[in-house]
């Protein structure tokens, strides 16, 4: 998937849009800015003069969630998209990293950003739900852009009844679709011993995992394979650690061939173990082949299941710049496939440029798969009330729950 920066989010998408961040799929991107990074707490201010054609009052800040801007995943992609947009448009930009992983520290960074004069705040991750409920009413003139914050996340926050979201745009993604593609591709490539390593059992990660199982199951049916197995576990963390690596060692040493590592920096544990046993990895959220293969050996990453974080950031920042914010504020949009034939238009998909195509799964096979998912020939459930094994009809799912030692 090669996402076009200038894409416009339209009603032709698979979109659920209601005032106040409507329904979520969990119930069914002259003068240059200069960024100086300072670690935890507020980042140093940027410099830059707004171009004459731009919005001279627009100042963009990003706040990190669990990770940081070097996680090679959600935070880094969002940060780099914000930074590039602001550089290209000669707008001020900075980022803030909360001191701790809690609502109060995230909210303190919002207060700091507003105090510093930033009026567009980008927040990646479901953990910002309480922050949105608490902070957005306090700053009605600030525009909040939240990625992966669903209606369920908002509803679960304290004082959610008073939340209107009038100055908030939320995007969620149909992760079950690229998850399905990844599972389908892996089996078609000839892998029969698969693994899914999720970060935490939150809806976005669950949708990836359940889609992965469904895709593997469909491919096994088409190939008349009955010996495909998926080991399935949540690491209870969004970073790799010794406990998770030990589990991955056990998986790979006992025959697991490829693991879909889904959740921030948790991929490091899978990659460390894979390197010992010539195992393979499937990346997540962004094309992770460069970073994973760069650290652990060329050919480790067979594909990545991606969603259009950068495209969403670019579209929304452009809307603010161009005075079109009113078209997006107060909504949640559930982004997925826009086209069955033009891969560049889709907000979810596989990394075409870096997928290791095989005789069993070619680029043409991938495009056929996208077309079938787009037109409904193949259907993917996003029902997170079920368990992974509920989606297996011809494959075996070894559901190992959540690692308690993480």
């Amino acid at each position: 998937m090669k996402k076009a920066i200038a894409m416009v989010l339209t009603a032709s998408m698979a979109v659920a849009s209601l005032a106040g961040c409507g329904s979520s799929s969990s119930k069914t991107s002259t003068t240059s800015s200069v960024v100086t990074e300072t670690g935890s707490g507020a980042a140093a201010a940027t410099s830059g003069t707004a171009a004459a054609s731009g919005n001279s009052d627009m100042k963009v800040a990003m706040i990190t969630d669990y990770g940081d801007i070097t996680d090679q995943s959600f935070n880094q992609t969002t940060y780099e998209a914000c930074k590039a947009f602001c550089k290209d448009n000669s707008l001020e930009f900075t980022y803030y990293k909360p001191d701790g992983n809690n609502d109060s520290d995230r909210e303190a960074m919002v207060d700091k950003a507003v105090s510093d004069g930033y009026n567009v705040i980008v927040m990646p991750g479901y953990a910002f739900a309480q922050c949105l409920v608490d902070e957005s009413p306090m700053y009605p003139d600030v525009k909040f852009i939240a990625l992966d914050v669903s209606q369920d996340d908002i509803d679960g926050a304290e004082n959610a009844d008073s939340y209107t979201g009038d100055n908030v745009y939320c995007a969620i993604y149909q992760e079950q679709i690229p998850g399905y593609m990844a599972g389908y591709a892996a089996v078609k490539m000839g892998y029969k011993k698969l693994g899914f390593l999720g970060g935490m059992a939150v809806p976005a990660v669950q949708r990836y995992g359940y889609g992965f199982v469904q895709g593997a199951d469909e491919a096994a049916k088409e190939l008349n394979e009955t010996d495909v197995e998926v080991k399935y576990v949540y690491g209870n963390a969004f970073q790799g650690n010794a406990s998770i690596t030990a589990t991955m060692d056990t998986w790979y040493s006992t025959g697991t061939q490829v693991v879909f590592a889904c959740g921030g920096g948790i991929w490091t544990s899978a990659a460390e173990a894979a390197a010992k046993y010539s195992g393979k990895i499937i990346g997540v959220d962004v094309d992770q082949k460069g970073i994973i293969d760069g650290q652990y050996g060329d050919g480790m990453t067979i594909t990545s299941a991606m969603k259009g974080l950068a495209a969403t950031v670019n579209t929304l920042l452009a809307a603010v710049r161009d005075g079109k914010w009113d078209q997006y504020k107060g909504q949640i949009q559930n982004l997925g496939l826009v086209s069955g034939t033009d891969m560049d238009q889709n907000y979810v998909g596989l990394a075409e440029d870096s997928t290791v195509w095989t005789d069993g799964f070619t680029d043409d096979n991938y495009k056929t798969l996208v077309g079938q998912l787009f037109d409904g020939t193949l259907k993917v459930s996003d029902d997170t009330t079920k368990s992974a094994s509920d989606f297996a009809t011809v494959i075996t799912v070894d559901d190992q729950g959540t690692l308690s030692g993480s």
Side-chain angles (χ1 to χ4, degrees), residues 5-7 29 31-33 35 49-51 54-55 58-60 77-93 120 122 145 310-323:
I5 286 178
M7 183 182 309
S29 125
T31 305
S32 298
S33 296
V35 180
T49 303
N55 181 348
M58 181 177 175
K59 298 181 180 180
V60 181
T77 300
T78 306
Y79 165 76
E80 290 177 351
C82 290
K83 181 180 177 181
F85 183 93
C86 291
K87 179 178 180 181
D88 290 344
N89 289 273
S90 298
L91 299 170
E92 289 190 24
F93 168 71
V120 180
V122 182
I145 299 169
T312 309
V313 168
N314 278 288
T315 298
L316 269 295
L317 292 182
V320 176
R321 178 198 63 196
D322 298 338

Side-chain angles (χ1 to χ4, degrees), residues 2 25 30 55 71 75 85 120 195 219 304 327 329 332 338 382:
K2 296 168 286 185
S25 67
T30 98
N55 181 348
D71 66 0
N75 287 282
F85 183 93
V120 180
S304 293
Q327 297 178 18
K329 68 179 184 180
I332 192 166
V338 180
D382 65 353

Side-chain angles (χ1 to χ4, degrees), residues 381-404:
S381 173
D382 65 353
D383 187 352
T384 57
T385 66
K386 295 185 176 182
S387 63
S389 59
D390 291 333
F391 297 103
T393 63
V394 299
I395 67 173
T396 301
V397 174
D398 177 11
D399 193 337
Q400 299 180 9
T402 298
L403 298 180
S404 59

Side-chain angles (χ1 to χ4, degrees), residues 67-215:
D68 58 35
I69 62 168
T70 61
D71 66 0
Q72 293 96 39
S73 187
F74 215 81
N75 287 282
Q76 184 169 347
T77 300
T78 306
Y79 165 76
E80 290 177 351
C82 290
K83 181 180 177 181
F85 183 93
C86 291
K87 179 178 180 181
D88 290 344
N89 289 273
S90 298
L91 299 170
E92 289 190 24
F93 168 71
T94 193
Y95 82 99
Y96 298 84
K97 181 178 179 180
D99 289 330
N101 176 24
N102 56 71
D103 293 325
S104 61
D105 284 341
R106 283 186 281 271
E107 293 178 11
M109 291 298 97
V110 172
D111 295 336
K112 173 65 173 169
V114 176
S115 176
D116 289 344
Y118 293 91
N119 53 19
V120 180
I121 299 179
V122 182
M123 303 170 158
Y126 75 95
F128 282 101
Q130 186 66 59
C131 187
L132 285 174
V133 170
D134 293 341
E135 296 286 302
S136 63
M138 295 173 56
Y139 304 112
D141 294 329
V142 174
K143 299 171 177 65
F144 293 88
I145 299 169
L147 308 179
D148 258 13
V149 179
S150 72
Q151 185 64 51
D152 285 346
D153 297 324
I154 296 293
D155 290 345
E158 294 181 8
N159 303 315
D161 290 345
S162 62
Y163 172 79
T164 65
D166 290 341
N167 55 335
V168 178
Y169 169 84
C170 299
I172 57 172
Y173 300 87
Q174 297 170 30
E175 293 93 353
Q176 69 274 10
I177 294 176
Y180 184 102
M181 293 172 175
Y184 184 93
V187 174
K188 286 287 188 172
M189 289 175 180
Y191 298 104
K192 294 185 179 182
K193 304 301 180 185
L194 316 180
F196 176 79
L197 169 63
M200 295 183 182
V202 297
V205 176
Q206 289 176 299
R207 287 192 292 268
Y208 268 129
Y210 293 176
F212 185 70
V213 171
Q214 292 173 74

Side-chain angles (χ1 to χ4, degrees), residues 356-367:
V356 181
W357 307 111
T358 67
D359 290 341
F361 191 70
T362 66
D363 191 31
D364 286 341
N365 296 148
Y366 169 61
K367 291 173 181 175

Side-chain angles (χ1 to χ4, degrees), residues 37-70:
E37 301 169 11
T38 60
S40 63
T46 66
S47 63
T49 303
S53 60
N55 181 348
S56 61
D57 296 326
M58 181 177 175
K59 298 181 180 180
V60 181
M62 175 208 160
I63 301 172
T64 63
D65 66 347
Y66 291 98
D68 58 35
I69 62 168
T70 61

Side-chain angles (χ1 to χ4, degrees), residues 3 7-10 12-14 335-342 344-348 374:
K3 178 57 66 178
M7 183 182 309
V8 177
L9 308 183
T10 68
S12 64
M13 299 176 189
L335 307 180
L337 294 177
V338 180
S339 172
T341 57
D342 187 347
D344 287 348
Q345 293 190 40
N346 292 323
Y347 276 81
V348 293
F374 179 74

